[in-house]
Amino acid sequence: MTRAEASAAGLKRYFTGTSCRNGHLDDRYVHNGGCVQCGRDRKAKREKLYPERFEAKRKRLFESPAYKAKRAEYKRSREIRLRGNGVSIAASELSALRQRHGKRCAICGDKSKLTIDHIIPLKAGGKHEARNIQFLCQPCNSSKGARPMEDFARSRGLLI
Ligand SMILES: [Zn+2]
Ligand SMILES: [Zn+2]
């Protein structure tokens, strides 16, 4: 996918299928064409150089009433959504499900740091139930974000 196509489709990120000049096979940002992983690396580097700056910023953010309100609101709406979408899953059921999925990331097969992902996002009316749940490693989950799986696959060129 080209940057122009992604922009026309209203996407924030797109996937070119080629590595950046630092060898990252990751999404690019539509707004500047930059590699997402390079951006993360740059941020990590800055954080290493000026840890106190980042620490202070985080602290300010966490303690700001706006942030607290946002978090509370997020939690509340998520709970309502989970309940409203009906089905909830017991922890034991989840671990059985993870077992059935081979305890690996559904996208890259990695076995570490698995997180729960809703194939159809809860926001889009997906249900919190076994057949709508897959396990993704943290990097894949954060790169998929809250997009429906279909959109994500398309951005990776896996679906037309
Ligand atoms: Zn890169
Ligand atoms: Zn993965």
Side-chain angles (χ1 to χ4, degrees), residues 19-26 28 34-39 41:
S19 307
C20 77
R21 68 186 125 90
N22 291 320
H24 305 130
L25 192 59
D26 206 332
R28 307 291 153 84
C35 162
V36 169
Q37 184 58 47
C38 281
D41 288 356

Side-chain angles (χ1 to χ4, degrees), residues 105 108 137 140:
C105 170
C108 71
C137 69
C140 285

Side-chain angles (χ1 to χ4, degrees), residues 114-131:
L114 289 183
T115 57
I116 293 173
D117 179 67
H118 295 101
I119 298 168
I120 300 168
L122 299 177
K123 254 190 193 155
K127 285 187 168 42
H128 187 57
E129 62 182 1
R131 59 185 170 164

Side-chain angles (χ1 to χ4, degrees), residues 78-98:
R78 188 178 163 86
E79 259 166 36
I80 290 174
R81 219 155 47 222
L82 284 176
R83 236 179 295 134
N85 288 348
V87 207
S88 71
I89 295 187
S92 59
E93 211 180 325
L94 263 183
S95 84
L97 193 62
R98 192 176 298 136

Side-chain angles (χ1 to χ4, degrees), residues 34-92:
C35 162
V36 169
Q37 184 58 47
C38 281
R40 276 191 213 113
D41 288 356
R42 268 197 305 276
K43 194 171 171 219
K45 220 184 252 172
R46 274 203 311 274
E47 183 159 7
K48 234 180 188 162
L49 281 174
Y50 315 107
E52 59 303 322
R53 206 184 285 175
F54 278 78
E55 195 45 50
K57 206 170 158 188
R58 240 194 308 268
K59 223 170 155 188
R60 263 204 313 277
L61 179 70
F62 286 159
E63 280 166 9
S64 74
Y67 179 81
K68 282 184 185 160
K70 213 166 147 189
R71 271 209 68 87
E73 170 59 28
Y74 175 80
K75 242 176 113 177
R76 207 175 54 89
S77 69
R78 188 178 163 86
E79 259 166 36
I80 290 174
R81 219 155 47 222
L82 284 176
R83 236 179 295 134
N85 288 348
V87 207
S88 71
I89 295 187
S92 59

